[in-house]
């Protein structure tokens, strides 16, 4: 449930241009004229680059990031293997280590693919279309 302040802010944003108001500390709303928008800089190099809808950028793939991810998921993989397998301990360890060994290059491959797709979109050329 939104707070009173959040509701007022949302209501203020929903108003038409001619209904801009300033809210005082007491909660009174004082109507004002439309606020003046700041002038855009003439020089494009000084302006911040426009960000798309994507949010944060995708970092380059690195083995350090893959190692951190493996450190998180390896115990989980081993736990699942130990709980679901009914064989002896050596078979469980071999299966778990094999799965982790496949996880490392696969994780790096996924990072690489995601980075390439992100780079292509940033350059403006979409591969599909």
């Amino acid at each position: 449930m939104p707070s009173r302040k959040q509701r007022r802010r949302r209501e203020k944003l929903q108003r038409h241009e001619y209904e801009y108001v300033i809210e005082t500390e007491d909660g009174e709303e004082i109507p004002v004229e439309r606020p003046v928008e700041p002038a855009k800089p003439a020089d494009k190099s000084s302006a911040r680059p426009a960000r798309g809808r994507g949010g944060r950028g995708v970092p380059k793939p690195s083995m350090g990031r893959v190692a951190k991810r493996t450190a998180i998921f390896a115990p989980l993989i081993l736990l699942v293997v130990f709980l679901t397998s009914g064989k002896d301990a050596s078979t469980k360890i071999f299966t778990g280590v094999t799965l982790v060994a496949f996880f490392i290059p696969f994780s790096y491959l996924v990072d690489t693919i995601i980075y390439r797709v992100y780079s292509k979109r940033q350059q403006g050329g979409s591969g599909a279309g």
Side-chain angles (χ1 to χ4, degrees):
M1 179 116 185
S3 68
R4 182 177 172 192
K5 185 175 182 180
Q6 290 171 335
R7 284 192 303 259
R8 282 190 176 175
R9 185 174 292 151
R10 188 177 315 128
E11 289 170 3
K12 191 164 91 172
L13 291 174
Q14 296 291 329
R15 290 189 177 101
H16 296 286
E17 291 180 9
Y18 55 87
E19 291 183 354
Y20 280 102
V21 296
I22 295 176
E23 191 171 331
T24 63
E25 293 178 5
D26 300 331
E28 297 178 39
E29 295 180 347
I30 303 171
V32 295
E33 292 183 20
R34 185 174 184 203
V36 179
E37 295 179 12
K40 293 183 180 180
D43 184 48
K44 292 273 184 183
S45 63
S46 65
R48 284 189 354 208
R51 292 188 62 143
R53 294 173 57 182
R56 271 193 273 172
V58 176
K60 278 189 165 184
S62 70
M63 287 307 292
R65 204 171 301 107
V66 170
K68 288 179 187 176
R69 193 175 305 126
T70 303
I72 294 170
F73 285 106
L76 297 175
I77 291 171
L78 293 172
L79 181 68
V80 169
V81 168
F82 269 80
L83 293 177
T84 58
S85 180
K87 302 173 185 168
D88 60 336
S90 62
T91 307
K92 291 178 183 181
I93 292 172
F94 177 75
T95 304
V97 170
T98 305
L99 287 172
V100 170
F102 276 108
F103 178 80
I104 293 170
F106 184 74
S107 180
Y108 188 80
L109 176 70
V110 169
D111 284 354
T112 304
I113 292 170
I114 290 172
Y115 179 73
R116 285 182 183 171
V117 169
Y118 174 76
S119 297
K120 285 181 182 178
R121 285 188 181 171
Q122 289 298 331
Q123 293 173 358
S126 60

